[in-house]
Amino acid sequence: MSLGEFDLIAKYFTRPVRRAALGIGDDCALLAPAPGMQLAVSSDMLVEGRHFLSTVAPDRLGHKALAVNLSDLAACGAKPLAFTLALALPRADEALLEGFARGLFALAEAHGIELVGGDTTQGPLNICITVMGEVPAGGALLRSGARAGDDLYVSGTVGDARLALEVFRGNAALDAHAFAAVREAMERPQPRVALGVALRGVATSAIDVSDGLLGDLGHILRRSGVAARIEVDAVPRSAVLAAQPAALQRECTLAGGDDYELVFTAPPAAADRVQAAARAAGTAVTRIGRIEAGQGLRLVDREGRDVAQTFGSFDHFKD
């Protein structure tokens, strides 16, 4: 006997809430941020064939659906509280639902966040999560705070998700071990929540890398009214990506996207505090350039020579 909508919710997604005042079962969830805190809210949608391949394992899909939302909280410096899930399914596929819920809740529990509501319907596979977190009033990391003279940093490594996509497209070839590593980066990104929280009061601006390093950095530059100089060879990459042709390395690191690392700025005087925040969060950060007065983005190589600006970033209505 096939599952109905409410049976599906009860079997796979209903769990007791520990922090929310009211969770699943009523028309609205009720949240109570701590005194002096602001509520940070963000939504992301994942559509099959656009944001993920049909071959992705269900548990990895559940993980990524929540991870990309937690990454937005990380970029704001917010601590996760709760999330809602809107899920469209072609049919009530219990194998998919079991794996999806397992991956979703494993990451939720790792970050102390709980599901408090949402919706289900029949249709093309589509996942929309709205995530909520809390941040001290006036303490959120924003895109608009970068200032000329600030150092520019990125967390972790970037480019592996794009390299995995190029393998799927047939444009690159890797051995099984290397492909498994970059596919892990593509399908199970790790949101840098602890780093975002540790950077409160240290970073002057931040954003997560979802559409490509240069494209996402461009949002900071426009909102802050500044320019930037990036040392393209300083951008951190994995050993697998570093073994690829130089042109492919730059395409993946600068325009790849789907990395969900943090790009942020901080004054040079805060360099020690930046590294202390990175150590506290257990996430490496690398200085990759500097914010300058003016407009635009200048790319240079390790010798300081200009690199042609030929890199784009993902756009849902152009790509």
Side-chain angles (χ1 to χ4, degrees):
M1 186 174 178
S2 62
L3 286 177
E5 176 185 0
F6 298 104
D7 296 326
L8 182 160
I9 295 169
K11 184 171 183 178
Y12 292 105
F13 299 111
T14 299
R15 293 188 170 197
V17 294
R18 299 182 300 274
R19 300 174 65 183
L22 182 66
I24 291 173
D26 279 77
D27 291 300
C28 292
L30 299 176
L31 303 178
M37 305 294 275
Q38 291 178 316
L39 197 63
V41 181
S42 181
S43 294
D44 265 304
M45 184 182 299
L46 273 69
V47 179
E48 184 177 20
R50 191 64 172 170
H51 301 97
F52 61 91
L53 303 175
S54 61
T55 54
V56 65
D59 62 316
R60 292 190 169 199
L61 181 57
H63 172 101
K64 186 171 183 177
L66 182 57
V68 302
N69 284 271
L70 288 174
S71 184
D72 285 334
L73 289 185
C76 190
K79 182 179 179 181
L81 289 176
F83 68 103
T84 63
L85 169 67
L87 183 63
L89 296 163
R91 62 186 185 283
D93 181 336
E94 293 206 54
L96 184 150
L97 285 165
E98 190 281 327
F100 179 87
R102 177 164 26 91
L104 179 82
F105 286 120
L107 185 62
E109 289 170 5
H111 288 274
I113 188 171
E114 54 196 16
L115 178 63
V116 296
D119 192 23
T120 58
T121 189
Q122 186 177 34
L125 186 55
N126 186 354
I127 306 153
C128 183
I129 286 179
T130 296
V131 70
M132 289 148 277
E134 60 180 12
V135 62
L141 303 178
L142 305 176
R143 301 177 182 183
S144 56
R147 298 292 180 264
D150 281 354
D151 287 327
L152 177 63
Y153 296 87
V154 68
S155 66
T157 62
V158 294
D160 277 359
R162 174 60 179 272
L163 180 56
L165 181 61
E166 292 306 316
V167 174
F168 277 116
R169 288 172 169 172
N171 297 329
L174 298 173
D175 63 38
H177 179 74
F179 178 57
V182 297
R183 186 174 185 177
E184 174 86 0
M186 177 185 184
E187 295 179 344
R188 296 189 78 251
Q190 300 302 315
R192 303 305 189 184
V193 174
L195 179 62
V197 171
L199 287 172
R200 292 178 191 162
V202 179
T204 52
S205 69
I207 192 171
D208 71 326
V209 182
S210 56
D211 297 329
L213 175 61
L214 299 190
D216 290 316
L217 173 60
H219 295 305
I220 288 180
L221 303 186
R222 286 188 289 274
R223 291 292 295 273
S224 298
V226 293
R229 179 181 185 269
I230 291 185
E231 300 155 16
V232 297
D233 297 318
V235 178
R237 65 210 70 187
S238 69
V240 173
L241 182 53
Q244 302 306 305
L248 180 58
Q249 289 186 49
R250 287 181 176 176
E251 181 68 26
C252 290
T253 55
L254 299 177
D258 233 14
D259 297 300
Y260 301 100
E261 297 292 348
L262 296 186
V263 176
F264 62 95
T265 59
D272 288 345
R273 297 176 66 198
V274 167
Q275 294 302 326
R279 288 192 297 271
T283 302
V285 300
T286 304
R287 182 189 176 280
I288 60 170
R290 177 161 291 191
I291 300 299
E292 300 177 339
Q295 295 181 333
L297 181 60
R298 182 186 175 201
L299 307 181
V300 298
D301 64 16
R302 61 173 52 91
E303 279 79 39
R305 297 173 301 198
D306 286 335
V307 173
Q309 171 62 282
T310 60
F311 305 98
S313 61
F314 181 77
D315 185 306
H316 292 280
F317 295 97
K318 293 182 180 178
D319 295 307

